[in-house]
Amino acid sequence: MPQTLRLILGDQLNHKHSWFAKTDDSILYVMMEMKQETGYVMHHVQKITAFFLAMREFAGWLEERGHQVLYLKLDDSKNKQSLPENLSGLIDVNEIQKFQYLLPDEYRLDKQLKSFCKDLKIESQAYDTEHFFTQREEMADFFKGKKSFLMETFYRHMRKKHEVLMDGGEPEGGKWNYDQLNRKKLTDPSLLQPPKRFRKNIQDVLDMLEKMEVKHFGEIDPENFAWAISRAEGLKVLNYFCEELLPKFGTFQDAMHTEHAFLFHSRLSFLMNSKLLSPKEVIDKVIEAYHQAKGKIEISQVEGFIRQILGWREFMRGVYWAKMPDYAKLNKLNHRRSLPKWYWSGDTKMNCLRHAISQSLTHAYAHHIQRLMITGNFALLANVHPDEVDEWYLGIYIDAIEWVEITNTRGMSQFADGGIVGTKPYVSSANYIAKMSNYCKGCHYSKSKKVGEKACPFNSLYWNFYDRHRALFENNQRVNMMYRIWDKKPAEERTAILEQAEEYLTDLDKL
């Protein structure tokens, strides 16, 4: 009989964790598919499917290595669909003497497990997931006493501490950041490579979801599920990225195009967020490919990718643990409108939003600029309540786990945190969208018009946003130039723009 019960959550699939280095017959590992986890928001069907497939694959891997594993599928008759209830039952039935778990990355699960352990009559202990470069509180300690958190400062610290792309005490290549070189529009789609795909028949999972009445949304092909859901597949995706996509990744990382959903992006975020791949091994592989390429890959491509992982990913996690749970309630701009209905269908006359949302519904994926400067940009300009924006982002994307989603959404995208994450609001008119994509071509609305019939909604809503929030942003050095431009416009033009914006805001669902 096992004496110790160890819990593994669905985003803790770390093959390299020290727990699994040797087998022990006194230890029973438990993994669970639960309605508790499918129902806290409504999820994209591909997200649910990917996590369940990855969990099952991981459980099989453990068993192959001689570990004792109890896996509760969603439709198991013994499944209580609740983490505390399932754990309590297993502890009683197996006469467990000790309970151990890996520290969750979500506040709600961390709170739930702490509460559960507090009431336990047996010994309990939590362990690190051995995945991130940082500990939970490390970033908060780094910025202790500072008024704001600056990602660039933290990123440089991380580069030095972990000796990533460093030449002694200086950054390799002579610069810390090559962001200025990573903002080109893709004008030649023939440069693009197809993504690394896999083919799996997942009809049994869909049948189970229907049987258990799990609510979900989005599209899925039951015979051709394309996402990598195992470590072996993940390594293939990583290798493919380094060989085929990395040489142009940085240059076009902000570009958007109607003919391709993935462009040069790695599609590694689900694999890292489920811990099938570690950020260190991903970075190490990318640097190895860069050095072996002998000049064929520019450092700007590599630094842009590493900044997203060593900088932004670790930074966002640090903000999460420094500011939760209050962070989830922040609404600095006091936005109150509902998310337009077409965020759930893609049925809008705005070509950029129709494409970004439809792509998200089809693939459970959009890259960071589509999320920030298309769907997020519009939600911010439309004064949508950040609670609704959070829920949409958390549900629709395959890689969305609260620690990384909410800080990007409520912070970077919606400025609901008042500037903890970003030093300015990330809003734009149609000009930026036209600069970075081909979305404006053939759109119902005119990118050049601010008022009148078929005027692009982004244009009037952009100026309306700054006018509405003048008291907050007028003295912000990163955006105060917008107020000088706005104030130079004739009074009648400003009035017409604000009236146009109000007309659009009155019925967002019709846009």
Side-chain angles (χ1 to χ4, degrees), residues 443-468:
C443 184
H444 171 82
Y445 295 102
S446 170
K447 65 180 180 181
S448 61
K449 294 181 67 175
K450 298 181 181 67
V451 297
E453 185 180 1
K454 295 186 178 181
C456 177
F458 277 91
N459 292 334
S460 58
L461 293 179
Y462 174 78
W463 290 114
N464 178 74
F465 173 86
Y466 277 120
D467 186 76
R468 173 188 172 105

Side-chain angles (χ1 to χ4, degrees), residues 198-380:
F198 302 88
R199 295 182 62 184
K200 304 177 190 69
N201 187 310
I202 45 83
Q203 187 62 55
D204 60 330
V205 176
L206 300 184
D207 291 343
M208 182 186 70
L209 296 181
E210 182 178 1
K211 170 187 171 184
M212 298 302 294
E213 299 180 340
V214 173
K215 292 182 179 179
H216 53 73
F217 66 101
E219 300 173 23
I220 194 167
D221 183 347
E223 297 182 357
N224 295 285
F225 189 74
W227 288 97
I229 51 82
S230 69
R231 177 167 172 80
E233 290 177 346
L235 290 171
K236 290 179 181 178
V237 174
L238 175 57
N239 289 333
Y240 183 81
F241 171 69
C242 291
E243 294 167 4
E244 303 293 338
L245 307 178
L246 179 60
K248 291 185 174 64
F249 166 78
T251 302
F252 299 111
Q253 70 176 21
D254 287 0
M256 299 170 283
H257 202 282
T258 55
E259 291 184 26
H260 206 282
F262 306 108
L263 286 87
F264 298 99
H265 289 269
S266 69
R267 297 168 76 241
L268 291 168
S269 53
F270 168 76
L271 293 158
M272 284 193 290
N273 291 355
S274 61
K275 301 182 180 56
L276 288 166
L277 298 182
S278 78
K280 185 179 187 306
E281 71 179 319
V282 170
I283 288 174
D284 287 348
K285 180 65 178 177
V286 166
I287 292 176
E288 178 188 345
Y290 164 60
H291 288 152
Q292 289 182 347
K294 297 179 180 179
K296 294 181 180 179
I297 301 177
E298 297 170 350
I299 194 170
S300 59
Q301 320 293 344
V302 178
E303 187 279 321
F305 182 77
I306 288 174
R307 186 174 355 114
Q308 290 189 0
I309 299 175
L310 186 64
W312 202 245
R313 187 171 185 263
E314 298 285 335
F315 178 76
M316 286 301 196
R317 178 173 179 259
V319 171
Y320 182 79
W321 286 109
K323 299 298 181 180
M324 285 293 283
D326 294 340
Y327 196 88
K329 301 174 184 176
L330 296 177
N331 187 3
K332 178 69 174 180
L333 301 182
N334 195 31
H335 284 177
R336 300 290 172 184
R337 280 192 170 83
S338 297
L339 198 68
K341 293 178 181 177
W342 39 260
Y343 266 72
W344 302 96
S345 67
D347 187 17
T348 170
K349 295 188 289 290
M350 289 177 282
N351 198 39
C352 59
L353 280 154
R354 182 173 69 250
H355 183 80
I357 292 170
S358 297
Q359 172 190 308
S360 301
L361 292 168
T362 300
H363 299 291
Y365 172 87
H367 73 65
H368 66 287
I369 295 299
Q370 291 174 306
R371 300 187 199 193
L372 178 65
M373 298 308 299
I374 303 297
T375 52
N377 184 11
F378 186 86
L380 181 54

Side-chain angles (χ1 to χ4, degrees), residues 53-208:
L53 291 177
M55 290 166 65
R56 293 176 184 184
E57 177 78 20
F58 188 78
W61 177 83
L62 288 175
E63 289 176 333
E64 287 175 3
R65 276 146 189 81
H67 296 286
Q68 293 189 82
V69 182
L70 176 62
Y71 192 96
L72 282 177
K73 288 188 176 181
L74 194 71
D75 59 352
D76 192 303
S77 60
K78 300 183 186 69
N79 194 337
K80 305 297 183 184
Q81 308 300 339
S82 156
L83 185 58
E85 288 184 69
N86 280 337
L87 290 174
S88 294
L90 290 170
I91 288 171
D92 289 343
V93 169
N94 293 280
E95 298 180 356
I96 296 296
Q97 302 300 309
K98 186 185 298 183
F99 172 63
Q100 298 175 341
Y101 67 96
L102 299 175
L103 287 169
D105 289 313
E106 289 189 292
Y107 183 84
R108 65 183 180 86
L109 287 169
D110 190 65
K111 182 180 178 182
Q112 187 179 44
L113 281 166
K114 283 179 178 176
S115 176
F116 174 75
C117 290
K118 186 178 179 181
D119 295 331
L120 271 182
K121 293 181 172 59
I122 62 172
E123 180 185 342
S124 62
Q125 189 174 0
Y127 291 80
D128 191 83
T129 58
E130 301 174 7
H131 171 80
F132 294 96
F133 280 95
T134 54
Q135 300 298 308
R136 281 182 177 180
E137 297 80 16
E138 185 172 334
M139 199 198 74
D141 291 340
F142 177 75
F143 285 113
K144 192 172 184 179
K146 303 290 178 63
K147 291 184 178 180
S148 60
F149 297 167
L150 291 177
M151 196 283 286
E152 185 67 23
T153 304
F154 181 70
Y155 169 54
R156 295 184 185 190
H157 161 72
M158 293 291 285
R159 288 267 298 272
K160 293 175 184 176
K161 178 179 178 179
H162 298 283
E163 299 181 345
V164 174
L165 275 187
M166 296 297 296
D167 185 5
E170 298 299 318
E172 189 170 340
K175 292 178 63 177
W176 289 104
N177 189 311
Y178 292 85
D179 191 42
Q180 294 292 332
L181 300 177
N182 296 343
R183 302 174 182 175
K184 289 191 177 180
K185 180 177 182 176
L186 180 71
T187 57
D188 183 4
S190 69
L191 295 174
L192 294 166
Q193 300 291 325
K196 182 70 176 175
R197 293 178 181 271
F198 302 88
R199 295 182 62 184
K200 304 177 190 69
N201 187 310
I202 45 83
Q203 187 62 55
D204 60 330
V205 176
L206 300 184
D207 291 343
M208 182 186 70

